[in-house]
Amino acid sequence: MALSTIPFPAELRAANDLEGRGPSKLEILPLLSATLEEIADGLDQKAFTSTQLVQAYKARIKEVNGVFRSVIELNPEAEATATALDVERRKQGRRRQILMVRSVLHGIPFLLKDNIFTLDDTETTCGSTVLRGSKLGSEASVVKLLRDAGAVILGKANLSEFVGFRYTNASTGWSARGGQASGIFWPGMKPSGSSTGSAISVGLGLVSASFGTETTSSIVSPSEKSGVVGYKPSRGMIAVQGIITASAEKDIVGPITRTVKDAALILDAITPARHGAAQIADSCSTADLHGVRIGIVRDPTQTVDKAKLDAFQITVDLLKAAGAVIVDDVRLAGLDEYISLPDGMKQIVLDTEFKVSMEIHLQSLIINPRHLENLEDLIEAIKHDRDEDYPSRNVAIMQRALSTNVNASNYREMLEKQLYFADNGGLEGAMRERNCTALITPAGSLLIQSFAAMGGNPVISVPMGFYPEGTKLKHDPQSGFVTVAPGIPFSLYQYGKRFDDQSLFRVAYAFEQLTQARMKSKPYLVPKLDLKDFIEPPRLRANL
């Protein structure tokens, strides 16, 4: 169901109330700040139902989506799913009510980036109009995991079309289906991509959690710009089957949440048991970092502004005070070599893998209305579809990828180099050499992120600070969007060892507790409707 066709809720009555009573409106947390853990507790305590939660989120989306363009489409089945999960949650026993909960995600609505395929009445087109009506034979692996855990799929979030692998002459956060998304902390703020809408929606309290995908920075960077937590798990933790990827070899699917612990709870709920290993959320219990070695790695090609440097220094001091051992000036052994490579060499692997991944997706479709079989077909369809806004938004990245060949010598050569950058020459090797649990950077860096992508390392971005009052506005020279302004957030980027996500969560949770930066988040425009407006007062319910 297209977002524009969704009717505004005509009544505030709950669709189902299994106890016949409800709380005072004052007991309900505002959705702008409510965490997934708090919402799950509210559901357990019968403060509200999943159905009411879905109704509230849908109304909030409708209220502000014309400004921020974060949601492409809502799932018309979401309320029915929520109602069924409400019924399942509380089945009557002979003498007492039995709580039936699949996981902490039972009845929790999620938005999915529009490249994560679902078998419901929503499209999955990577934001493109030329893929409308196309279907795979099964849902994405992560969707099945979410449904099995009791989650409600609320709809599809906007993104940079084709996960940022289409155009070079326009801003991130645009798709033909979703339009141009914008940031939430200043009018005309530049968003980040490619999981743009997934992050904005959490930042505005349009949902408590969402899923995005990342090749390089596509979860953690949009989350930074929306003042929320973005987590890219170790590659392989969650399968990417059923996802339209830029690279089937490097893409990772991960959660975007309000807090570090929320992300941990989601991963625990949907990832297979790890041979008796402790739950990831168990790491989110203390700010004590005694004995934990945290390295600082810097991007020599990057200039970091004073506001970020000041906040980073405060962060380092707080981590030291919490007992961490700070290892300064950690150097990646392969950094200089990677920097010296020509741009064509740096791009060749992802360009080639994008072509391969996209053609595998097109050829896997069981319904393919435009009969698109390869990347060349896709490019031509975009050029001839008015909604795709070509040539104002070009297809330069796709055309670059079109010329690649998996048998080309430069591709094979770079694959060999990436084996070094992924291990001894990259983040993994640096943490081994300096005996570090995690690495941190003063600011988000595409260069360091590239090493994380090659290595499959987990990465988390957690709010660190905000530009102060009096900050001079800066604009993106290409799009004119605002990039720096008072109140725009920035994050601490933290990198972990491959398959040691639990240790990274320990560091990230401690940092979050020490700073509580997210509590200072103030979007310039927020929905007025809230969950309390969808919970029927007891005096009215008694008359039903």
Side-chain angles (χ1 to χ4, degrees), residues 312-367:
F312 184 71
Q313 186 56 56
I314 292 171
T315 291
V316 171
D317 292 342
L318 287 170
L319 294 173
K320 285 180 180 177
V325 177
I326 301 299
V327 183
D328 203 355
D329 201 24
V330 173
R331 187 79 174 174
L332 308 188
L335 189 66
D336 290 339
E337 179 184 350
Y338 184 80
I339 291 172
S340 69
L341 291 172
D343 287 345
M345 283 294 285
K346 294 174 185 174
Q347 296 166 348
I348 189 61
V349 171
L350 284 182
D351 285 351
T352 304
E353 290 175 352
F354 174 72
K355 179 182 178 182
V356 171
S357 296
M358 187 54 59
E359 293 188 345
I360 288 174
H361 174 74
L362 293 174
Q363 292 162 20
S364 299
L365 295 172
I366 62 170
I367 300 177

Side-chain angles (χ1 to χ4, degrees), residues 66-322:
V67 176
F68 298 109
R69 299 284 182 184
S70 63
V71 180
I72 287 181
E73 187 175 8
L74 288 176
N75 180 8
E77 301 171 21
E79 281 192 50
T81 301
T83 299
L85 288 165
D86 284 332
V87 172
E88 182 180 306
R89 176 181 287 273
R90 302 191 185 281
K91 294 183 177 179
Q92 296 292 331
R94 290 182 61 187
R95 295 185 178 180
R96 64 183 179 87
Q97 206 169 53
I98 302 171
L99 188 64
M100 303 292 290
V101 178
R102 300 187 190 190
S103 77
V104 70
L105 306 187
H106 191 114
I108 301 288
F110 280 77
L111 284 168
L112 306 178
K113 188 176 180 179
D114 187 42
N115 64 333
I116 302 173
F117 191 76
T118 56
L119 286 176
D120 51 31
D121 286 338
T122 63
E123 302 265 12
T124 306
T125 72
C126 226
S128 172
T129 52
V130 302
L131 291 183
R132 275 181 176 152
S134 62
K135 296 288 183 183
L136 290 172
S138 59
E139 292 192 308
S141 296
V142 69
V143 176
K144 183 180 187 306
L145 293 169
L146 284 167
R147 292 196 196 277
D148 288 349
V152 178
I153 307 304
L154 186 62
K156 298 294 172 58
N158 201 4
L159 73 168
S160 302
E161 188 170 293
F162 288 107
V163 293
F165 276 73
R166 178 191 149 176
Y167 53 81
T168 59
N169 62 338
S171 174
T172 56
W174 178 90
S175 72
R177 287 186 66 209
Q180 178 63 63
S182 63
I184 65 177
F185 290 96
W186 195 268
M189 175 186 163
K190 184 180 179 180
S192 181
S194 63
S195 303
T196 313
S198 300
I200 290 173
S201 297
V202 176
L204 286 172
L206 308 183
V207 73
S208 65
S210 66
F211 268 84
T213 62
E214 173 165 323
T215 312
T216 307
S217 287
S218 293
I219 291 173
V220 291
S221 179
S223 298
E224 173 184 29
K225 299 301 182 185
S226 295
V228 294
V229 174
Y231 191 68
K232 185 192 84 166
S234 290
R235 185 182 303 129
M237 178 177 280
I238 307 172
V240 294
Q241 177 273 327
I243 294 175
I244 306 174
T245 59
S247 166
E249 305 300 320
K250 294 182 175 60
D251 279 25
I252 298 173
V253 58
I256 297 173
T257 58
R258 298 210 67 83
T259 69
V260 171
K261 189 174 182 180
D262 281 354
L265 289 169
I266 291 169
L267 292 176
D268 282 337
I270 68 170
T271 52
R274 297 179 302 283
H275 306 293
Q279 296 285 285
I280 294 174
D282 291 346
S283 299
C284 302
S285 60
T286 179
D288 184 355
L289 291 173
H290 277 87
V292 177
R293 291 172 61 86
I294 301 173
I296 299 174
V297 60
R298 293 178 172 85
D299 177 352
T301 68
Q302 181 184 52
T303 300
V304 182
D305 61 43
K306 184 178 184 301
K308 291 181 179 179
L309 286 175
D310 288 348
F312 184 71
Q313 186 56 56
I314 292 171
T315 291
V316 171
D317 292 342
L318 287 170
L319 294 173
K320 285 180 180 177

Side-chain angles (χ1 to χ4, degrees), residues 482-494:
V482 175
T483 56
V484 174
I488 289 181
F490 44 82
S491 292
L492 180 70
Y493 284 69
Q494 300 155 79

